[in-house]
Structures are given as structure tokens and as C-alpha cells.
């Protein structure tokens, strides 16, 4: 059983009387974002350690409870030990910690007590020292008995610091935080302005993950440029989704009325809007909207390819356009299906990559060549995916 322990006791540095855990973070509160990461990592029980309950914290805890995990509020180590199953493994998250799912995954694997650490030279403000040259990076995986050991100590001891000391004295393993994995988004923040900056970095991490060249080198950089002003103006993620849908419909209309190059270009811009909107929706806990936009990108690319083939076949009086459009969509869909998790290569095709291949040929007035080139690219990608699957089943 995997349990989560979140500390929410310290006040914000720039907002006296406001808990740092309840500061806004991308449309949520910070503690809701932390809980999302833990639930996503497989946690079924959440314990929130508090010093006092505020209306903002109560509201956040109520919303966390709707995510499917049980949520208990505790004030002391004694209460926490009573709530935890004796055999539970506990993921501990420091007060005010901002991190990513990739960083958290370092501690979700099987194993004994472990502390996420950084060198003292690289330690961010708020990281507690656990050695002469080592600092705790705010995450730990501990046995429930460590909490029970803290419960046996005097109650006036600081729960978080004491738990860390007990784990360190118990020879917990140290897992180094890879700098490249966090993307600069990992740290402890109790200042609302600094937390807003962390939110922007978090979004940059979210949109920089793609491996395939088209998404990584074209969509992701443009999305990173657009996200900070959108976050600053609190643009609703549903507005980005609506803009993407409207632009996508305009793209399909452009292809239908035989302005294929404009239609394909608009499809690429719509994919960019969906990428930005999906990142915003994910951070704001709007998962259905994020899932819709992630699916809208391949859906729009498929419709654009099929419609381009249809228009070309109707114009030429042959079935070539239909055949190439269907072949492209089928090969692209199968290559996505055949790709192993984490097994994609930089040069492989993607929905946006196929649109980028199609665009210059449609500008030159050669839609059949455009579809043939994209379909060939999809077929090569499919062959590579199948070969990779055969080599490493």
C-alpha cells in the first residue's frame, strides 16, 4: 500500500496568515497540485499535516477528496501513525514543495527508506541539510514505522524535521536529483510571486517532453513563448480549446474550398493552440479538457489528410487521393499503436510532422505528392516501430 504525507503548516512569506500550501498555483492551490502528483503516482491514502485549519485549506482538502483517494487531516505524528497502515510505504512531500511527476517517479519504485537529495552546493532555499555536503530535496519514501518512531518522541518537536532526522539516522538511501529531470521546476516556495514563476517553469517542463522532432523543436518552443503571458492573464484553458476548435474548423473549410495550403497551415496553428490548452488544463486539474485537446491534435490531422484526399480525388476524378489519405491515416495510427512506451525516436513521424510534410507540397500545388510523401513517412515510421517492438518485446 502506498500512502502520501503532505505537510501544510508554514505561512507564506509574503502573505502573513495564509498557509503556503493554499497559495494559488496555476488555477489550483499548491497542496491540490501536490496531491494530484501523489494520486497519479498510485497513492490511495493521503495524510495532510496541519498546524491550523483555514477556510482555504478546508476547501482544498474537500476538492482533493474528490480525486478518489482518502484524505485525513492530522496535527501530530501520533495521529499520523494511528491513521497509517503498519505495512504502508509513505511518500513524504515537504511543505511548499513544487516538483514534477518525473521526479516523484524516482521514489515510487519498490525499495526501502530513501531520501531525494542534492549536493549542498546545488541546494535551493528551504532544503534541509542531511549531511556535511548533502541537502534533502523535499521528497522521501519511508516505512510507516518511521512515523511511529517520531510519534514516540516529545510532541513539541517539529514533525517534518524530526521525521527527516529519524530517516537519516536510519540509514535511508540517498537518491540524487538529476538536474535535467526537473527542468528547473523543482524547489520549495512559500512566496506567491516566486510560486507563480515556478508555475510557468512547470508548464515549460510539460510542453518540452515530446521526443519527436516536430513537437519538440516547433510546437514546444512556441508554446513556451506563449504560456507566460497566458498564465499572467489567467486565460481560461477552455478558451484555448475553443480557439483551437474554431481554427480547426476553419482549416477543414479551407481544404474543402480548395485552399489546401491555408487549411494545412491553420491545422498546424490549431495543433499549437491545443498543445498550450492541454498544458493549461492539466495544471488546472481539468483532465477531461486536457484529454480532449490531446486527442484533438491527431484527430484534426487525420481529418485534414482525409479531406485533402477527398477534394483531390473529386477534382481529378480518380481514387488516388482517397487511397493516399486513407493509407496515411492508417499507417500513422498503427505506428502510434506499435510504438513502445518511451521507445519513440527523434526522427519519427507525428500528427504535426505529417502536416509539416504536407504543407510545402500544397503550397506548390501538388496535393497528391504531399499525401504520398506523408504516407511514405508514416510507413517508414511504422516499420521502425514494428522492428523496435520485435527486437525488444
Amino acid at each position: 500500500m502506498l500512502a502520501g504525507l503532505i505537510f501544510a503548516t508554514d505561512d507564506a512569506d509574503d502573505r502573513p496568515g495564509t498557509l503556503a500550501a493554499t497559495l494559488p498555483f496555476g488555477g489550483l492551490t499548491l497542496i491540490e497540485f501536490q496531491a494530484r502528483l501523489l494520486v497519479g503516482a498510485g497513492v490511495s491514502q493521503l495524510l495532510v499535516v496541519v498546524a491550523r485549519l483555514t477556510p482555504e485549506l478546508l476547501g482544498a482538502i474537500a476538492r482533493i477528496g474528490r480525486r478518489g483517494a482518502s484524505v485525513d487531516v492530522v496535527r501530530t505524528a501520533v495521529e499520523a501513525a494511528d491513521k497509517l497502515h503498519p505495512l504502508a510505504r509513505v511518500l513524504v512531500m515537504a511543505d511548499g514543495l513544487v516538483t514534477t511527476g518525473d521526479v516523484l517517479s524516482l521514489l515510487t519504485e519498490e525499495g526501502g527508506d530513501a531520501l531525494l537529495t542534492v549536493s549542498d552546493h546545488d541546494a535551493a532555499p528551504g532544503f534541509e541539510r542531511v549531511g556535511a555536503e548533502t541537502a534533502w530535496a523535499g521528497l522521501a519514501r519511508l516505512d510507516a514505522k518511521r512515523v511511529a518512531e517520531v510519534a514516540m518522541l516529545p510532541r513539541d518537536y517539529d514533525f517534518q524535521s524530526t521525521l527527516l532526522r529519524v530517516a537519516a539516522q536510519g540509514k535511508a538511501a540517498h537518491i540524487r536529483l538529476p538536474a535535467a529531470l526537473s527542468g528547473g521546476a523543482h524547489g520549495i516556495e512559500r512566496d506567491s510571486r516566486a510560486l507563480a514563476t515556478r508555475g510557468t517553469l512547470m508548464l515549460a517542463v510539460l510542453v518540452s517532453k515530446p521526443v519527436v522532432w516536430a513537437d519538440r523543436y516547433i510546437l514546444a518552443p512556441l508554446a513556451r513563448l506563449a504560456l507566460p503571458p497566458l498564465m499572467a492573464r489567467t486565460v481560461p484553458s477552455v478558451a484555448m480549446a475553443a480557439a483551437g476548435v474554431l481554427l480547426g474548423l476553419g482549416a477543414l473549410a479551407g481544404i474543402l474550398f480548395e485552399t489546401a495550403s491555408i487549411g494545412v497551415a491553420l491545422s498546424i496553428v490549431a495543433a499549437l493552440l491545443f498543445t498550450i490548452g492541454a498544458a493549461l488544463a492539466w495544471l488546472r486539474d481539468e483532465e477531461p479538457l486536457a484529454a480532449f485537446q490531446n486527442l484533438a491534435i491527431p484527430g484534426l490531422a487525420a481529418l485534414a489528410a482525409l479531406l485533402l484526399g477527398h477534394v483531390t480525388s473529386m477534382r481529378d476524378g480518380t481514387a488516388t487521393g482517397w487511397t493516399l489519405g486513407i493509407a496515411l491515416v492508417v499507417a500513422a495510427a498503427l505506428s502510434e499503436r506499435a510504438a513502445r512506451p518511451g521507445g519513440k525516436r527523434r526522427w519519427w513521424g507525428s500528427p504535426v510532422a505529417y502536416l509539416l510534410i504536407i504543407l510545402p507540397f500544397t503550397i506548390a500545388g501538388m496535393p497528391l505528392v504531399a499525401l504520398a510523401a506523408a504516407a511514405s513517412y508514416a510507413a517508414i515510421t511504422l516499420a521502425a516501430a514494428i522492428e523496435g517492438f520485435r527486437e525488444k518485446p
Side-chain angles (χ1 to χ4, degrees), residues 3-282:
L5 187 65
I6 304 175
F7 288 89
T9 57
D10 294 336
D11 282 355
D13 293 339
D14 60 337
R15 296 186 184 182
T18 299
L19 292 171
T22 61
L23 288 173
F25 186 74
L28 303 171
T29 59
L30 176 56
I31 191 171
E32 288 176 81
F33 178 76
Q34 293 172 324
R36 286 194 62 200
L37 291 178
L38 289 172
V39 172
V43 165
S44 58
Q45 180 189 19
L46 281 170
L47 299 182
V48 180
V49 182
V50 304
R52 69 182 192 278
L53 287 171
T54 64
E56 296 82 6
L57 184 58
L58 285 171
I61 290 172
R63 290 188 293 272
I64 291 170
R66 303 190 194 115
R67 299 194 59 83
S70 65
V71 184
D72 294 298
V73 176
V74 298
R75 295 178 181 272
T76 65
V78 174
E79 295 179 18
D82 289 340
K83 297 286 186 180
L84 285 171
H85 190 282
L87 299 180
R89 290 186 303 141
V90 185
L91 292 178
V92 181
M93 192 168 284
D95 199 330
L97 181 71
V98 180
T99 190
T100 66
D102 289 341
V103 173
L104 186 60
S105 67
L106 294 173
L107 296 170
T108 55
E109 299 178 359
E110 293 292 336
D113 293 351
L115 302 175
L116 186 68
T117 61
V118 295
S119 68
D120 186 57
H121 176 73
D122 298 327
F127 287 177
E128 297 188 51
R129 190 186 296 271
V130 289
E133 298 181 354
T134 305
W136 181 49
L139 283 172
R141 179 187 65 226
L142 303 176
D143 194 283
K145 68 181 181 182
R146 299 302 179 197
V147 178
E149 291 173 12
V150 176
M152 298 172 63
L153 299 173
R155 293 198 177 194
D156 58 349
Y157 285 11
D158 181 81
F159 188 177
Q160 177 177 301
S161 295
T162 305
L163 182 61
L164 176 61
R165 303 306 164 199
V166 167
Q169 292 170 9
K171 306 300 182 182
H174 288 191
I175 298 177
R176 286 284 179 170
L177 171 64
L181 191 61
S182 68
H186 183 94
I188 291 176
E189 293 294 353
R190 298 190 181 96
D191 181 274
S192 60
R193 291 161 294 186
L195 192 59
T197 302
R198 289 279 183 186
T200 302
L201 284 172
M202 183 67 66
L203 284 171
V205 171
L206 289 176
V207 298
S208 64
K209 285 183 179 181
V211 174
V212 178
W213 65 271
D215 301 340
R216 190 178 188 90
Y217 297 120
I218 296 176
L219 283 192
L222 292 174
R224 286 196 295 270
L225 286 175
L227 280 168
L230 291 174
M231 286 287 290
R233 293 174 175 80
T234 62
V235 174
S237 47
V238 69
M240 297 301 300
V245 170
L246 290 175
L247 205 59
L249 292 174
L252 297 177
I255 296 173
L256 183 62
F257 291 105
E258 299 190 19
T259 53
S261 58
I262 295 175
V264 174
L266 289 178
S267 297
I268 296 171
V269 177
L272 173 61
L273 294 180
F274 285 135
T275 299
I276 296 171
L280 287 172
W282 185 89

